Amino acid sequence: MTLKRRFATCVSAFALVALAGALAPAAGQTLTWPQRLTAPEGTIDIYQPQFDTLKGNVVTGRAAVGLTATGGQLPVFGAFWFTGVVDVDRDADEVTLRNLSVTRVRWPDTAPDLEQRFRTVVESAVPGTGLRFSFERFSASLATAERERQTMPELNSEPPAIVFAE
């Protein structure tokens, strides 16, 4: 099966599972990562989101996804970037991510139309679903992103001088 065919099959499987509400944990349940979703067409693994910014209650971030077609042995990995709204309950140590809007997707060796199809599937399936996870993980992810932003100016990306001699 070609990579594009596997990807298309997995996107269809993701749409079926997500539309069925498989992304929503039961009330009070903390979502563990990766979250494995199954459908007749394949398996979808969603890995823990990495958050970049928080302004008010609007958050931006990215998450890795692995798609394995039924009968396939190797997953196809990709990533999507998103914005969403978070509701924080510090007493319960819980954060709910809702109103997810996919801003960008990346898959290796896929055409832009397949990436757009995946983006559309995610946007149409996930917005009404709340992903729940611990406040501790959420705040740790934001703290890591802030440390990365602070150290970026210190990185030297200039290539070294290369001296060649015979």
Short mmCIF file of all heavy atoms in Angstrom, two decimals, residues 3 9-10 17 37 40 62 70-71 77 82 84 86 100 104 108-109 121 125 129 137 141 158:
data_model
loop_
_atom_site.label_atom_id
_atom_site.label_comp_id
_atom_site.label_asym_id
_atom_site.label_seq_id
_atom_site.Cartn_x
_atom_site.Cartn_y
_atom_site.Cartn_z
N LEU A 3 2.17 5.15 0.48
CA LEU A 3 2.10 6.05 1.62
C LEU A 3 0.88 6.96 1.52
O LEU A 3 0.18 7.17 2.51
CB LEU A 3 3.38 6.89 1.70
CG LEU A 3 3.49 7.86 2.86
CD1 LEU A 3 3.45 7.09 4.17
CD2 LEU A 3 4.76 8.65 2.76
N THR A 9 -6.44 6.46 4.00
CA THR A 9 -7.20 5.49 4.79
C THR A 9 -7.21 5.89 6.25
O THR A 9 -8.23 5.84 6.93
CB THR A 9 -6.61 4.07 4.62
OG1 THR A 9 -6.66 3.72 3.25
CG2 THR A 9 -7.39 3.06 5.43
N CYS A 10 -6.04 6.29 6.76
CA CYS A 10 -5.94 6.68 8.17
C CYS A 10 -6.73 7.95 8.46
O CYS A 10 -7.34 8.08 9.52
CB CYS A 10 -4.48 6.85 8.58
SG CYS A 10 -3.62 5.28 8.65
N VAL A 17 -13.64 7.95 13.88
CA VAL A 17 -13.47 7.83 15.32
C VAL A 17 -13.73 9.16 16.01
O VAL A 17 -14.43 9.22 17.01
CB VAL A 17 -12.05 7.32 15.65
CG1 VAL A 17 -11.79 7.35 17.13
CG2 VAL A 17 -11.88 5.91 15.12
N LEU A 37 -6.73 5.63 19.58
CA LEU A 37 -8.08 5.50 19.05
C LEU A 37 -8.08 4.39 18.01
O LEU A 37 -7.15 4.28 17.22
CB LEU A 37 -8.52 6.82 18.41
CG LEU A 37 -8.34 8.07 19.25
CD1 LEU A 37 -8.65 9.31 18.43
CD2 LEU A 37 -9.20 8.01 20.48
N PRO A 40 -12.23 0.47 12.39
CA PRO A 40 -12.02 -0.64 11.45
C PRO A 40 -10.91 -0.36 10.43
O PRO A 40 -10.23 -1.27 9.98
CB PRO A 40 -13.37 -0.78 10.75
CG PRO A 40 -14.36 -0.17 11.68
CD PRO A 40 -13.62 0.90 12.43
N ARG A 62 1.10 22.40 19.64
CA ARG A 62 1.25 21.40 18.57
C ARG A 62 1.16 20.02 19.19
O ARG A 62 1.39 19.85 20.39
CB ARG A 62 2.57 21.59 17.85
CG ARG A 62 3.77 21.40 18.76
CD ARG A 62 5.03 22.05 18.17
NE ARG A 62 6.18 21.88 19.03
CZ ARG A 62 6.46 22.61 20.10
NH1 ARG A 62 5.64 23.55 20.48
NH2 ARG A 62 7.54 22.39 20.82
N THR A 70 -5.12 -0.37 8.91
CA THR A 70 -5.41 -1.76 9.23
C THR A 70 -4.57 -2.66 8.32
O THR A 70 -4.51 -2.44 7.11
CB THR A 70 -6.91 -2.07 9.03
OG1 THR A 70 -7.65 -1.23 9.91
CG2 THR A 70 -7.21 -3.52 9.32
N GLY A 71 -3.91 -3.62 8.92
CA GLY A 71 -3.04 -4.50 8.15
C GLY A 71 -1.64 -3.93 7.96
O GLY A 71 -0.73 -4.64 7.55
N PHE A 77 3.80 9.12 10.73
CA PHE A 77 3.77 10.15 11.77
C PHE A 77 3.67 11.53 11.15
O PHE A 77 4.23 11.80 10.10
CB PHE A 77 5.04 10.08 12.64
CG PHE A 77 5.09 8.86 13.50
CD1 PHE A 77 5.85 7.76 13.12
CD2 PHE A 77 4.36 8.80 14.68
CE1 PHE A 77 5.89 6.63 13.90
CE2 PHE A 77 4.40 7.66 15.48
CZ PHE A 77 5.17 6.58 15.08
N PHE A 82 -2.16 24.06 16.57
CA PHE A 82 -3.53 24.44 16.87
C PHE A 82 -3.59 25.66 17.78
O PHE A 82 -2.61 26.05 18.40
CB PHE A 82 -4.27 23.28 17.55
CG PHE A 82 -3.64 22.87 18.86
CD1 PHE A 82 -3.99 23.49 20.05
CD2 PHE A 82 -2.69 21.86 18.90
CE1 PHE A 82 -3.41 23.11 21.25
CE2 PHE A 82 -2.10 21.47 20.10
CZ PHE A 82 -2.46 22.10 21.27
N GLY A 84 -6.61 27.05 20.74
CA GLY A 84 -7.79 26.57 21.45
C GLY A 84 -8.02 27.40 22.69
O GLY A 84 -7.25 28.30 23.02
N VAL A 86 -8.67 27.20 26.84
CA VAL A 86 -8.47 26.33 27.99
C VAL A 86 -9.30 26.82 29.17
O VAL A 86 -9.43 28.02 29.39
CB VAL A 86 -6.98 26.20 28.40
CG1 VAL A 86 -6.20 25.44 27.37
CG2 VAL A 86 -6.36 27.54 28.68
N LEU A 100 -10.87 23.65 19.59
CA LEU A 100 -9.62 23.45 18.89
C LEU A 100 -9.74 23.88 17.43
O LEU A 100 -10.69 23.52 16.74
CB LEU A 100 -9.24 21.97 18.96
CG LEU A 100 -7.81 21.61 18.68
CD1 LEU A 100 -6.92 22.09 19.82
CD2 LEU A 100 -7.68 20.11 18.54
N ARG A 104 -2.16 24.43 11.18
CA ARG A 104 -1.16 23.89 10.24
C ARG A 104 -0.99 22.40 10.49
O ARG A 104 -1.14 21.94 11.62
CB ARG A 104 0.17 24.61 10.48
CG ARG A 104 1.23 24.34 9.46
CD ARG A 104 2.43 25.24 9.72
NE ARG A 104 3.56 24.37 10.00
CZ ARG A 104 4.62 24.71 10.69
NH1 ARG A 104 4.70 25.90 11.22
NH2 ARG A 104 5.59 23.88 10.87
N PRO A 108 5.04 13.69 6.25
CA PRO A 108 6.11 13.46 5.28
C PRO A 108 5.54 12.89 3.98
O PRO A 108 4.61 12.08 4.00
CB PRO A 108 7.02 12.45 5.98
CG PRO A 108 6.13 11.74 6.95
CD PRO A 108 5.09 12.76 7.37
N ASP A 109 6.07 13.35 2.89
CA ASP A 109 5.75 12.80 1.56
C ASP A 109 4.26 12.79 1.25
O ASP A 109 3.74 11.84 0.69
CB ASP A 109 6.30 11.38 1.41
CG ASP A 109 7.80 11.32 1.63
OD1 ASP A 109 8.49 12.28 1.25
OD2 ASP A 109 8.27 10.32 2.19
N VAL A 121 -10.71 17.59 8.63
CA VAL A 121 -11.27 16.52 9.46
C VAL A 121 -11.11 16.86 10.93
O VAL A 121 -12.06 16.76 11.72
CB VAL A 121 -10.61 15.17 9.13
CG1 VAL A 121 -10.92 14.13 10.18
CG2 VAL A 121 -11.05 14.69 7.76
N ALA A 125 -14.16 17.75 13.57
CA ALA A 125 -14.45 16.70 14.55
C ALA A 125 -14.15 17.10 15.98
O ALA A 125 -14.85 16.68 16.89
CB ALA A 125 -13.64 15.45 14.19
N THR A 129 -15.28 18.83 21.39
CA THR A 129 -14.74 17.85 22.32
C THR A 129 -13.73 18.51 23.23
O THR A 129 -12.89 19.27 22.79
CB THR A 129 -14.03 16.73 21.54
OG1 THR A 129 -14.94 16.21 20.58
CG2 THR A 129 -13.58 15.62 22.43
N ARG A 137 0.93 19.16 34.06
CA ARG A 137 1.52 18.94 32.73
C ARG A 137 1.39 20.19 31.87
O ARG A 137 2.29 20.53 31.11
CB ARG A 137 0.86 17.76 32.04
CG ARG A 137 1.24 16.44 32.60
CD ARG A 137 0.63 15.33 31.81
NE ARG A 137 1.04 14.05 32.35
CZ ARG A 137 0.92 12.91 31.72
NH1 ARG A 137 0.42 12.89 30.51
NH2 ARG A 137 1.31 11.79 32.27
N SER A 141 4.55 22.40 30.43
CA SER A 141 4.75 22.60 29.00
C SER A 141 4.91 24.08 28.67
O SER A 141 5.78 24.46 27.88
CB SER A 141 3.56 22.01 28.23
OG SER A 141 3.73 22.15 26.85
N GLU A 158 25.43 30.50 13.26
CA GLU A 158 26.42 30.76 12.22
C GLU A 158 27.26 29.51 11.99
O GLU A 158 27.73 28.89 12.95
CB GLU A 158 27.35 31.91 12.62
CG GLU A 158 26.67 33.26 12.68
CD GLU A 158 26.21 33.73 11.32
OE1 GLU A 158 26.94 33.54 10.32
OE2 GLU A 158 25.09 34.27 11.25
#
